[in-house]
């Protein structure tokens, strides 16, 4: 089986963690690296979390490279930071210090090298700063990238503001560059990712696996469920980032539509909003947006894949 060469650009993040563990348990993917970015937590913490996750998965072939600590327009902070993913970004559990080393190339340089070495799919599940800087430094590399699969944006309603979804809001300038570049993009916006969730039965299933991965996943998801209960009046947790990985495992699982996407970089109230134009004339656009997914099928696959960790 030909495996898809993948780099996951990430800000772990509880739902990033589930996405990463799903990817690392999937034989369809050759995950070469996790490149980190500031987002759900600062860069130091998201990078530490990426190293923790590689150690947890025992996939010591996967490189962890640190990327950008600040958005292109400067560092961003948001109200209630720490409420969603915990202060440490992974639900504030206890972890031993990971043995997984930090790679010595900057994430942007590593991405450029891996793009130069062969067909590469980039799964971007955090703010798009690393990809924006990559395009600033190496504008021609977009033509070499097989595909960029992004979790971000919203067609209808944001989460960090009424207009904007977090990953795009956290670096709108980078996002605008990413959507304007020539690479094929598949976008998983909130209106798609809100169809994908895990409930208390799923948490009990993971915990009942009696493996380190199973226990960690259930323990990380518990505070995330409490946040959902307060914010959305439901304990079911949204699996935003896992949708970007799921797309690579089964191309037919998520129905998609051709669109044009622009990012609002200057609005008084709407900075970071995605302008997703779904009109008919964009049917063949190189940018596709996820529209619908069957959650039961997704959850079944996630359960099966995570149960392969020993
Ligand atoms: C996105 O923001 C982060 O909190 C999640 O990890 C996900 O990537 C959802 O808006
Ligand atoms: Ca994320």
């Amino acid at each position: 089986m030909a495996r898809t060469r993948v780099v996951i650009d990430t800000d772990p993040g509880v739902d990033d963690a589930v996405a990463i563990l799903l990817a690392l348990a999937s034989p369809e993917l050759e995950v070469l690296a996790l490149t980190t970015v500031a987002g759900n937590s600062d860069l130091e913490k998201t990078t530490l979390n990426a190293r923790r996750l590689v150690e947890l998965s025992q996939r010591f072939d996967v490189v962890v490279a640190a990327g950008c600590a600040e958005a292109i327009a400067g560092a961003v902070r948001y109200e209630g930071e720490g409420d969603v993913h915990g202060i440490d970004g992974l639900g504030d559990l206890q972890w031993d210090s990971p043995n997984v080393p930090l790679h010595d190339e900057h994430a942007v340089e590593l991405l450029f090298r891996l793009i130069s070495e062969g067909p590469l799919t980039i799964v971007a599940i955090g703010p798009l700063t690393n990809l924006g800087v990559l395009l600033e430094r190496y504008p021609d590399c977009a033509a070499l990238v097989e595909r960029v699969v992004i979790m971000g944006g919203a067609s209808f309603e944001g989460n960090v503001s009424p207009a904007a979804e977090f990953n795009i809001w956290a670096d709108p300038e980078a996002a605008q560059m990413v959507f304007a570049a020539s690479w094929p993009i598949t976008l998983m916006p909130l209106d798609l990712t809100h169809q994908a969730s895990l409930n208390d039965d799923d948490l009990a299933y993971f915990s009942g696996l009696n493996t380190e991965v199973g226990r960690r996943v259930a323990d990380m998801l518990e505070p995330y469920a409490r946040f959902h209960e307060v914010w959305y009046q439901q304990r079911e947790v949204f699996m935003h980032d896992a949708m970007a990985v799921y797309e690579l495992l089964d191309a037919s699982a998520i129905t998609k539509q051709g669109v044009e996407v622009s990012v609002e970089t200057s609005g008084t109230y709407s900075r970071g909003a995605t302008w997703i134009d779904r009109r008919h004339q964009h049917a063949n656009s190189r940018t596709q947006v996820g529209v619908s997914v069957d959650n039961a099928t997704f959850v079944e696959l996630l359960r099966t894949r995570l149960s392969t960790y020993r």
Side-chain angles (χ1 to χ4, degrees), residues 11 15-16 40 125-126 167 241:
D11 62 335
D15 63 318
D16 301 68
N40 287 322
I125 55 176
N167 287 342
D241 292 342

Side-chain angles (χ1 to χ4, degrees), residues 45-59:
K45 295 197 189 77
T46 59
T47 306
L48 174 62
N49 291 342
R51 292 169 55 227
R52 286 168 166 169
L53 292 166
V54 168
E55 181 132 330
L56 177 64
S57 71
Q58 300 280 297
R59 282 288 308 278

Side-chain angles (χ1 to χ4, degrees), residues 161-195:
S161 83
E165 181 279 332
F166 176 76
N167 287 342
I168 307 300
W169 172 88
D171 197 340
E173 282 73 21
Q176 177 56 16
M177 281 189 255
V178 168
F179 287 110
S182 66
W183 44 30
I185 292 177
T186 310
L187 178 66
M188 303 301 164
L190 284 184
D191 27 300
L192 181 273
T193 65
H194 280 189
Q195 298 169 37

Side-chain angles (χ1 to χ4, degrees), residues 26-267:
S26 292
E28 299 89 342
L29 307 182
E30 183 187 4
V31 180
L32 302 171
L34 306 183
T35 52
T36 59
V37 64
N40 287 322
S41 208
D42 62 39
L43 181 70
E44 201 181 321
K45 295 197 189 77
T46 59
T47 306
L48 174 62
N49 291 342
R51 292 169 55 227
R52 286 168 166 169
L53 292 166
V54 168
E55 181 132 330
L56 177 64
S57 71
Q58 300 280 297
R59 282 288 308 278
F60 298 106
D61 55 310
V62 178
V63 159
V64 176
C68 297
E70 290 190 358
I72 286 177
V76 287
R77 300 263 69 96
Y78 64 103
E79 210 186 317
E81 205 174 272
D83 291 354
V84 190
H85 300 268
I87 301 297
D88 82 340
L90 279 188
D92 296 327
L93 313 180
Q94 295 293 317
W95 296 79
D96 290 337
S97 180
N99 293 314
V100 171
L102 182 61
H103 186 66
D104 59 5
E105 277 170 298
H106 188 278
V108 171
E109 298 306 320
L110 175 65
L111 276 163
F112 178 65
R113 182 167 62 76
L114 293 173
I115 290 165
S116 312
E117 287 173 1
L120 188 72
T121 295
I122 302 171
V123 174
I125 55 176
L128 294 167
T129 315
N130 289 339
L131 301 194
V133 173
L134 175 75
L135 291 166
E136 275 181 338
R137 281 190 205 165
Y138 307 107
D140 295 342
C141 78
L144 303 174
V145 172
E146 191 152 279
R147 179 155 67 128
V148 183
V149 185
I150 298 169
M151 187 284 130
S155 302
F156 306 113
E157 189 178 62
N159 53 7
V160 77
S161 83
E165 181 279 332
F166 176 76
N167 287 342
I168 307 300
W169 172 88
D171 197 340
E173 282 73 21
Q176 177 56 16
M177 281 189 255
V178 168
F179 287 110
S182 66
W183 44 30
I185 292 177
T186 310
L187 178 66
M188 303 301 164
L190 284 184
D191 27 300
L192 181 273
T193 65
H194 280 189
Q195 298 169 37
S197 61
L198 299 176
N199 60 24
D200 283 336
D201 287 347
D202 301 313
L203 270 61
Y205 173 85
F206 293 127
S207 152
L209 289 173
N210 262 320
T211 60
E212 189 61 12
V213 167
R215 273 189 295 274
R216 288 276 166 190
V217 167
D219 290 352
M220 280 189 272
L221 288 175
E222 176 53 39
Y224 195 52
R226 288 200 297 270
F227 163 77
H228 281 66
E229 194 168 15
V230 171
W231 194 255
Y232 297 106
Q233 292 79 52
Q234 55 161 61
R235 270 180 57 85
E236 277 179 42
V237 291
F238 294 132
M239 287 290 96
H240 305 288
D241 292 342
M243 287 299 102
V245 173
Y246 189 36
E247 162 68 11
L248 297 183
L249 304 181
D250 181 355
S252 65
I254 297 171
T255 57
K256 292 167 286 287
Q257 180 187 3
V259 293
E260 292 285 305
V261 179
S262 305
V263 177
E264 181 63 84
T265 54
S266 60

